[in-house]
Amino acid sequence: LLSDMKIYLLGIFCLLALTGLSLAEDEAVDIDGTVVEDIGKSTIGSKTDDETVEREEEAIQLDGLNVSQMKAMRDGAEKHHYQAEVNRMMKLIINSLYRNKEIFLRELISNASDALDKIRFMSLTDPSVLEGSSDLKVMIKPDKENHALHIIDTGVGMTREELVKNLGTIAKSGTSEFLAKMEEGESDIPSDLIGQFGVGFYSSFLVADTVVVTSKNNNDDQWVWESDASSFTVAKDPRGNTLGRGTQISLFMKEEAYDFLEEHTIKDLVKKYSQFINFPIQLWTSKTESVEEAVEADQAEAPKEGETDDDVKVEDEDDEKPKTKMVEKTVYDWEAMNDNKPIWLRNAKEVDEADYTAFYKSFSKDTEDPLAHVHFSAEGEVTFRSILFVPKAAPHDLY
């Protein structure tokens, strides 16, 4: 009897096990009788890093290059890693200046002005260097559709070697002193310091996930430098020479930095930081205008109620002028941002001490006020106006 009971219980256990297996199989089948896909294979659940990177790359567009051309250029690009000091410095800049992100525009405009100064000085002894573009200026073009901000200059430009050297490495003397001063100040670093030591370009990563630099030097082809702050690539531009000469920096903005694409924000920053730049600064702006347009024949008014076609014809004969209508249109154009008279050309009586100090700091990158200054004009065979400043301390790289 005990043996029969054991067999009976074993049979019940096996039956329950088979029932549970059947239910488990049923749960994997939906109401239509099709097997439910593994969530890991769904379009939402399978966002791998490679796919994310691919989507981000497709979102980065340059004028004249489509997605396939951008991909081909990236595939053939030279890949480089930043110098260790650069990586260390960028982390310090991003972590220390995140509350003062707006200084990125000041630094990039200042760098553009330096590039314009270089080509202008070169042209004094060799006028042919300006053949690519004789119009020396800085242009700022926001692109809200692609969340990009472009800063363009017609300066000296950079060769491939200069792109790698200038944007991927830093002179040891400057870097060591800069890093030492940053670490001394721990988390609170004066924003003027990065310009003083020539590393202002890296403030771009305060507002941008990706930075693309397109540059054309008279002694080389046009090259494209691209970085996401972890490494960088350099490739020959498949578009050829589109700049003539100079550099275009394209910032593909972080979501929290979209406000820097607004016209009023850019205008305020240019006025705040770059009013003493010697070269024209132009902003690509839009405005709505009322434009008069001719009315096409098929848009002419139909006869009103009670009128005949003959009545309409009589009116047309009396008024032979073409019919027009007012239409609202969006017009785009370059607008000058710094049309003020240069400070050294103004009468000394019209300039106050605050203006002199602000001008001195804008071109010297000095954080201290000048020790003294003199504003004068000279007349003779050569007539000129000038301001001489005496700094409180010698520049860090003087000796």
Side-chain angles (χ1 to χ4, degrees):
L1 181 61
L2 184 60
S3 176
D4 291 341
M5 182 64 71
K6 287 181 179 179
I7 294 173
Y8 176 76
L9 291 174
L10 182 60
I12 292 174
F13 177 80
C14 291
L15 181 62
L16 290 173
L18 290 172
T19 302
L21 181 60
S22 176
L23 288 172
E25 289 177 350
D26 289 344
E27 287 177 358
V29 180
D30 65 6
I31 57 176
D32 295 326
T34 56
V35 177
V36 177
E37 292 183 353
D38 184 353
I39 191 171
K41 295 181 181 179
S42 70
T43 56
I44 297 176
S46 61
K47 290 182 178 177
T48 63
D49 291 340
D50 291 340
E51 291 172 345
T52 303
V53 170
E54 185 177 348
R55 282 192 296 274
E56 290 176 351
E57 288 180 346
E58 289 180 357
I60 297 174
Q61 298 181 4
L62 294 177
D63 291 341
L65 283 181
N66 57 36
V67 174
S68 60
Q69 288 174 320
M70 286 287 291
K71 188 176 186 307
M73 184 181 71
R74 287 192 177 100
D75 291 342
E78 308 168 13
K79 295 175 175 59
H80 299 266
H81 291 286
Y82 282 111
Q83 192 181 40
E85 288 85 352
V86 177
N87 269 328
R88 179 178 162 207
M89 177 210 48
M90 279 199 294
K91 289 178 182 177
L92 285 170
I93 288 178
I94 293 171
N95 292 333
S96 303
L97 298 177
Y98 66 94
R99 292 178 183 171
N100 194 19
K101 296 178 181 179
E102 64 183 34
I103 57 100
F104 83 94
L105 190 59
R106 178 196 69 191
E107 295 303 321
L108 295 183
I109 292 177
S110 177
N111 289 348
S113 177
D114 291 343
L116 291 166
D117 271 327
K118 287 180 182 178
I119 198 68
R120 183 179 63 179
F121 291 146
M122 292 169 64
S123 70
L124 297 177
T125 55
D126 183 9
S128 65
V129 298
L130 294 178
E131 289 178 357
S133 178
S134 59
D135 191 9
L136 303 182
K137 59 185 177 182
V138 181
M139 295 168 284
I140 304 173
K141 187 175 183 180
D143 180 359
K144 292 184 182 180
E145 183 179 351
N146 295 307
H147 308 303
L149 182 64
H150 308 285
I151 296 93
I152 309 148
D153 69 71
T154 55
V156 67
M158 289 179 279
T159 64
R160 188 202 71 82
E161 289 76 14
E162 288 170 338
L163 283 170
V164 174
K165 179 182 178 182
N166 296 346
L167 304 185
T169 61
I170 307 177
K172 279 191 175 181
S173 59
T175 306
S176 58
E177 188 171 349
F178 174 76
L179 291 173
K181 284 187 175 291
M182 288 184 76
E183 289 174 342
E184 283 174 11
E186 297 178 353
S187 61
D188 187 16
I189 302 167
S191 62
D192 290 336
L193 200 59
I194 63 175
Q196 184 179 349
F197 285 89
V199 293
F201 168 78
Y202 301 105
S203 63
S204 303
F205 293 104
L206 290 169
V207 296
D209 289 316
T210 302
V211 178
V212 178
V213 179
T214 307
S215 197
K216 172 67 175 72
N217 182 278
N218 287 333
N219 299 322
D220 203 349
D221 296 319
Q222 187 165 300
W223 292 83
V224 178
W225 180 98
E226 183 178 350
S227 176
D228 60 357
S230 60
S231 61
F232 66 92
T233 62
V234 180
K236 192 172 181 179
D237 196 331
R239 297 169 295 180
N241 179 13
T242 60
L243 293 175
R245 186 200 62 251
T247 299
Q248 173 176 312
I249 299 177
S250 301
L251 309 179
F252 293 89
M253 310 295 276
K254 300 176 181 178
E255 186 174 351
E256 64 267 23
Y258 285 173
D259 183 54
F260 293 111
L261 298 174
E262 299 295 335
E263 284 182 19
H264 65 88
T265 302
I266 298 173
K267 287 179 179 180
D268 290 344
L269 292 179
V270 171
K271 183 177 180 181
K272 179 178 179 181
Y273 289 125
S274 306
Q275 58 178 319
F276 298 119
I277 295 295
N278 302 337
F279 302 95
I281 301 176
Q282 299 177 349
L283 174 63
W284 186 247
T285 59
S286 64
K287 59 182 178 180
T288 303
E289 292 183 348
S290 296
V291 182
E292 191 174 14
E293 286 189 350
V295 178
E296 296 180 4
D298 58 354
Q299 294 181 342
E301 293 184 4
K304 298 178 182 178
E305 187 176 352
E307 285 185 341
T308 64
D309 290 339
D310 292 335
D311 295 331
V312 175
K313 288 179 181 178
V314 171
E315 290 179 6
D316 291 342
E317 290 173 0
D318 293 338
D319 187 7
E320 295 181 355
K321 295 180 181 179
K323 292 187 176 182
T324 60
K325 63 178 180 179
M326 300 303 293
V327 179
E328 296 288 331
K329 281 194 172 183
T330 302
V331 180
Y332 293 87
D333 199 4
W334 294 103
E335 180 181 339
M337 293 288 98
N338 59 337
D339 51 3
N340 292 332
K341 194 175 182 180
I343 188 173
W344 59 90
L345 295 180
R346 289 154 56 185
N347 191 309
K349 297 179 181 178
E350 300 175 357
V351 186
D352 56 32
E353 287 299 318
D355 289 335
Y356 284 120
T357 300
F359 175 59
Y360 169 75
K361 290 183 176 181
S362 71
F363 74 83
S364 68
K365 307 297 188 298
D366 197 347
T367 56
E368 298 287 338
D369 293 349
L371 182 64
H373 70 268
V374 57
H375 189 170
F376 66 95
S377 61
E379 296 181 0
E381 290 186 8
V382 178
T383 300
F384 64 90
R385 293 173 178 268
S386 180
I387 306 175
L388 295 181
F389 290 94
V390 180
K392 286 185 177 178
H396 72 279
D397 57 352
L398 181 62
Y399 305 108

